[in-house]
Amino acid sequence: MRSLSVGLLGFGLAGSVFHAPLILSEPRLRLKAVASSRIDDIRRAAPEAKATTAESVIADPGIDLVVIATPNTSHAPLAREALLAGKHVVIDKPMATTAAEAGELIDLAKRQGRLLTVFQNRRWDNDFLTLRACLEKGEIGRPYHYEAHFDRFRPQIKQGWREQTLAGSGVLFDLGAHLIDQALTLFGMPDRILADVGAQRPDAQVDDWFHIVLGYGPMRAILHCGTVVCRPGPRFQLHGDRGSFLKHGMDGQEAALRAGRMPTGVDWGRDEPENHALLVQADGTERRVETLRGDYPAFYRGVAAAILDGAPPPVTAEQARDVLTVLEAVRKAAGLPA
């Protein structure tokens, strides 16, 4: 079986919790090296991978694919170096800090003849997959109101670059990139945008709250994030002329990965029974909808298939650039500096 050697840049939250386990679970990928100073953590999580530097990973002729899971400000520079070195590249979302940077990377990847894709894992959340299936089956009818929340209870400021005044920091670029990607996956690019973005917690240096309204003709897509929400409401709502879809509870794949569970087995991605979706028909009847299985491993299956088999990438670089285009428009609509 043909396989690809992978070098992972960064072993913080994104690298250690998401990318390393998902890479290790894909039979056609071999995690050869990790660029991080967290040597003991790397030995425990990926004993066959060597701890090294980003420069060594990019320069290694034996590495086929470079995965970038570093702070957002370094995404574009590292991706540029890796593409110039002839590597295929995966970038953790967001792809860059500006749409212009993303466009430059897309052009470079085409010139180099290499895959460039972006880790938008929440396309494979169990609740989003279920909502999308209900919409595509026509069970909602024509949609008029879509609402997606990413609410958390984190009243204390955590240490780390995401809470510092850097390009691409704050919840808009962190969680907003997920919600925007999901909306664009369902409905495409909006024709207008309204937005409010701000910081609510004392001593917050960057945004920790946003409310975005994307317009699609008569339909509205509302994307919301709060950081001081002790009891969140519905995670998803979709209302149409045939019915409504409502879903509480978060997909459990991130929690499982944080707990050290490998993304394998027949139970992976199954939702908690109490987190079922509710489909309400126009005549008032209600039907419980069992959520589909979440499938984060699908991303790296798709990466392997795209490189080795010529299949379409799991996320196109152009789609990831569209997310940045909307993020920039949201900042403008909210009156924030470019």
Side-chain angles (χ1 to χ4, degrees), residues 31-335:
L31 186 55
K32 180 178 179 180
V34 180
S36 173
S37 60
R38 301 181 179 183
I39 297 174
D40 291 339
D41 293 338
I42 294 168
R43 285 173 177 165
R44 284 191 294 269
E48 296 184 5
K50 67 178 180 181
T52 183
T53 65
E55 293 77 12
S56 295
V57 168
I58 291 172
D60 187 340
I63 287 180
D64 307 296
L65 170 67
V66 171
V67 176
I68 299 170
T70 55
N72 293 347
T73 52
S74 63
H75 286 184
L78 288 172
R80 188 178 300 111
E81 290 181 28
L83 288 168
L84 287 171
K87 312 300 185 186
H88 301 285
V89 174
V90 169
I91 311 175
D92 193 73
K93 64 80 201 161
M95 181 179 180
T97 57
T98 69
E101 285 181 329
E104 292 171 0
L105 293 176
I106 290 170
D107 291 341
L108 178 57
K110 289 178 179 177
R111 292 197 300 271
Q112 295 292 100
R114 291 295 180 264
L115 174 74
L116 174 64
T117 185
V118 178
F119 186 64
Q120 291 284 356
N121 59 298
R122 293 197 177 274
R123 292 189 186 188
W124 291 274
D125 276 359
N126 50 38
D127 44 17
F128 180 72
L129 290 171
T130 307
L131 181 150
R132 187 177 183 181
C134 288
L135 179 63
E136 291 175 348
K137 291 176 183 176
E139 294 182 296
I140 307 300
R142 180 177 178 178
Y144 284 96
H145 180 102
Y146 168 80
E147 196 160 333
H149 281 240
F150 212 133
D151 294 321
R152 304 184 295 190
F153 187 65
R154 295 187 179 177
Q156 305 300 321
I157 305 294
K158 288 190 172 185
Q159 297 297 315
W161 61 266
R162 288 182 177 84
E163 300 279 12
Q164 299 171 0
T165 52
L166 301 169
S169 294
V171 297
L172 180 61
F173 269 78
D174 184 17
L175 305 181
H178 287 308
L179 296 183
I180 290 170
D181 180 70
Q182 289 174 334
L184 300 190
T185 299
L186 293 174
F187 308 115
M189 291 292 281
D191 50 57
R192 60 201 181 282
I193 296 174
L194 299 173
D196 188 6
V197 180
Q200 294 187 324
R201 295 172 297 172
D203 301 322
Q205 299 179 35
V206 294
D207 54 88
D208 59 13
W209 181 94
F210 62 75
H211 189 85
I212 303 167
V213 181
L214 306 180
Y216 296 88
M219 197 203 81
R220 303 291 187 273
I222 297 172
L223 315 178
H224 183 91
C225 171
T227 311
V228 190
V229 182
C230 189
R231 179 174 291 182
R235 169 120 165 91
F236 285 109
Q237 298 182 59
L238 181 61
H239 306 285
D241 58 9
R242 292 188 61 187
S244 295
F245 175 98
L246 298 99
K247 172 65 168 62
H248 286 77
M250 286 289 294
D251 177 281
Q253 292 178 91
E254 178 177 348
L257 289 168
R258 284 178 179 268
R261 285 182 53 200
M262 286 297 291
T264 56
V266 295
D267 291 328
W268 180 264
R270 293 193 186 278
D271 205 353
E272 296 297 326
E274 64 270 19
N275 287 347
H276 66 273
L278 187 66
L279 190 63
V280 182
Q281 299 297 303
D283 61 3
T285 58
E286 298 183 359
R287 177 164 62 87
R288 175 182 172 130
V289 178
E290 298 298 331
T291 50
L292 300 174
R293 289 181 59 183
D295 194 12
Y296 287 177
F299 177 81
Y300 276 106
R301 285 201 307 273
V303 169
I307 298 172
L308 295 172
D309 307 329
V315 178
T316 69
E318 289 79 7
Q319 290 168 339
R321 179 182 55 189
D322 287 344
V323 172
L324 285 164
T325 299
V326 173
L327 279 168
E328 291 177 352
V330 165
R331 288 182 58 84
K332 182 178 180 180

